[in-house]
Amino acid sequence: MDTEEKQLIKQILDGDTRAFKIFIETYRRLVAHIVFRMVANSADREDVCQDVFVKAYQNLHGFQFQSKISTWLARIACNTCLNYLEKRRLPLFDDRALEEMNFVSHNDDPYTEAADSDINRLLRHYIDALPVLFRAIVTLYHLDGMKYEEISQILEIPAGTVKSYLFRARRMLREKLVELEQEVLC
Amino acid sequence: MLTPHLSDDQIQAFLDDTLPSSDKLSIKAHLQSCAECERAVASYQDVFEALDCDENFDLSKNFTRKVLRQTHKQAVGALQFGLLHIFFILAAVIAVSHVLLTYVNIENFAGTAQATSGAFETLVILVRSAFENLGDKIQFDGIYFILAFIGLLGLFVLDRLVLKPHFKTSP
């Protein structure tokens, strides 16, 4: 961790509101990536993001500087999302989905919805339909550029599992894409 | 000799750029001669692009302000809660003192204490003399209500004049 980050944390702990504002501005994108990909309900996303920063503020005194602040904050974000999903009794991870490719998009017919749009938009429907852990992993890896070890620390699963889930998630998406391409050809 | 097609894992590792350069070269060479694998790589590239796409993930403009207000509100709430605790502890001390002075026979209590421990006896004597001196100087009946009222009033004034304005001026 660089000294600038340490200094920022020290200032926040000393009660400097401007320092906390800088902290929020620096990490809001990271938190938004995780929360927006893990929480499907758009009405609740911003509230969950707020909860993440409030929890970070409350627990900052316990931060031991043993990991990067982004790793620590991402762990809080993931845990907050998992708690949110658990409270609403939404499935966290359904292993059958891997075998059955049980994609349930938020739209009734994503293909019709996105027929006029590009393939990228269509794929995003299917990213949203991945099991929540897969979504978290692909987000941390692709959007936040984290390594397997960092993701492993955040989600508290072995690095090998992170890699395996990442590859499986991308394979699922690719298979779905191929299926759609075949449908278009037929 | 037929070259086997690239596996999903190989393609993904190739696109992740995590393979050693020798493997990358052999995959590139394979892709030049295998249309099927080239198509597979192209579809994986679409997946990677979608995953890399930083779509509309932004929070509202006043998000930072909302968080700051929430953390501040909690801090003020904790302070008020702390003050309330202090007030109730003080009220409880006064009430217990009143009960002790009015209903407990301190002479008997001191006698018991003397039989058990010297240090404890000294403590009881000290407490007793303090209460007796206090009792001589002021009228106890009703003083507890006055003290409680003053305490509540103080808490209210502190809340209105110090905490509320501070909260309003916060970000």
Side-chain angles (χ1 to χ4, degrees):
Chain A
M1 171 180 281
D2 57 29
T3 45
E4 212 171 288
E5 268 190 338
K6 274 187 180 173
Q7 184 63 25
L8 185 72
I9 290 166
K10 194 181 171 297
Q11 284 174 325
I12 297 169
L13 290 173
D14 288 343
D16 187 341
T17 312
R18 276 178 303 178
F20 189 49
K21 199 175 172 181
I22 294 168
F23 178 85
I24 298 168
E25 293 296 334
T26 309
Y27 295 108
R28 61 185 278 167
R29 200 138 193 90
L30 167 72
V31 171
H33 284 160
I34 297 166
V35 173
F36 278 51
R37 276 268 170 88
M38 289 178 79
V39 175
N41 187 353
S42 55
D44 292 341
R45 285 168 171 172
E46 189 145 322
D47 288 343
V48 177
C49 288
Q50 269 189 55
D51 282 352
V52 172
F53 280 107
V54 170
K55 279 182 189 169
Y57 183 76
Q58 287 169 342
N59 294 297
L60 204 59
H61 63 274
F63 182 61
Q64 301 290 315
F65 299 100
Q66 284 170 345
S67 64
K68 285 203 279 187
I69 193 84
S70 56
T71 310
W72 178 77
L73 190 63
R75 186 158 60 232
I76 293 177
C78 286
N79 287 339
T80 308
C81 290
L82 292 174
N83 287 341
Y84 164 88
L85 296 171
E86 266 174 12
K87 271 184 195 164
R88 277 154 187 77
R89 297 179 187 280
L90 296 170
L92 298 182
F93 183 78
D94 185 359
D95 210 35
R96 287 169 305 174
L98 297 176
E99 310 306 325
E100 296 168 9
M101 298 287 289
N102 187 23
F103 285 90
V104 184
S105 180
H106 304 311
N107 289 310
D108 292 339
D109 188 354
Y111 179 67
T112 311
E113 161 95 0
D116 300 330
S117 186
D118 59 358
I119 205 127
N120 221 330
R121 190 174 160 190
L122 190 58
L123 266 169
R124 288 208 292 270
H125 282 285
Y126 293 108
I127 295 170
D128 287 345
L130 285 170
V132 70
L133 267 180
F134 283 24
R135 266 182 278 154
I137 290 169
V138 295
T139 306
L140 294 169
Y141 186 84
H142 281 274
L143 287 182
D144 301 309
M146 290 188 178
K147 306 282 175 216
Y148 298 139
E149 287 71 25
E150 269 181 287
I151 301 172
S152 151
Q153 279 178 36
I154 291 164
L155 297 172
E156 292 169 340
I157 52 175
T161 310
V162 171
K163 188 181 175 185
S164 155
Y165 283 4
L166 176 70
F167 277 52
R168 284 160 85 180
R170 294 192 297 210
R171 193 164 62 235
M172 287 162 80
L173 292 170
R174 191 244 164 180
E175 281 167 8
K176 202 69 196 166
L177 185 64
V178 170
E179 244 175 59
L180 283 163
E181 280 169 352
Q182 280 169 351
E183 273 176 37
V184 172
L185 289 172
C186 294
Chain B
M1 186 183 130
L2 283 172
T3 319
H5 289 301
L6 298 173
S7 69
D8 282 300
D9 286 3
Q10 276 177 309
I11 295 171
Q12 290 194 43
F14 174 69
L15 292 175
D16 272 335
D17 202 17
T18 52
L19 290 174
S21 49
S22 58
D23 288 359
K24 272 196 278 185
L25 284 173
S26 64
I27 286 177
K28 276 180 187 168
H30 176 82
L31 289 173
Q32 281 175 345
S33 60
C34 181
E36 199 178 325
C37 287
E38 208 181 345
R39 275 197 301 274
V41 169
S43 60
Y44 264 117
Q45 268 170 338
D46 285 337
V47 171
F48 274 55
E49 269 173 36
L51 290 169
D52 288 336
C53 177
D54 200 347
E55 53 193 300
N56 189 23
F57 282 146
D58 212 11
L59 296 156
S60 63
K61 280 179 185 170
N62 60 349
F63 175 76
T64 305
R65 198 178 166 81
K66 278 189 203 167
V67 175
L68 289 173
R69 282 182 72 86
Q70 205 176 329
T71 50
H72 192 79
K73 204 174 171 181
Q74 284 191 355
V76 171
L79 185 60
Q80 284 176 316
F81 189 67
L83 286 173
L84 213 61
H85 267 93
I86 291 168
F87 172 75
F88 280 123
I89 289 166
L90 283 173
V93 167
I94 292 166
V96 168
S97 311
H98 176 64
V99 169
L100 280 173
L101 279 172
T102 315
Y103 301 108
V104 176
N105 187 337
I106 293 178
E107 290 299 331
N108 287 348
F109 192 63
T112 317
Q114 197 173 14
T116 53
S117 155
F120 188 64
E121 178 209 354
T122 317
L123 181 72
V124 168
I125 290 166
L126 272 173
V127 173
R128 186 181 58 181
S129 62
F131 277 136
E132 279 170 353
N133 291 337
L134 197 67
D136 289 342
K137 286 175 187 164
I138 53 173
Q139 183 69 34
F140 271 97
D141 290 342
I143 193 73
Y144 310 104
F145 297 104
I146 293 164
L147 282 174
F149 179 74
I150 291 168
L152 271 176
L153 196 69
L155 204 68
F156 179 78
V157 169
L158 191 69
D159 182 59
R160 293 288 137 177
L161 298 181
V162 182
L163 300 178
K164 287 277 159 102
H166 183 53
F167 176 66
K168 274 180 191 165
T169 53
S170 72

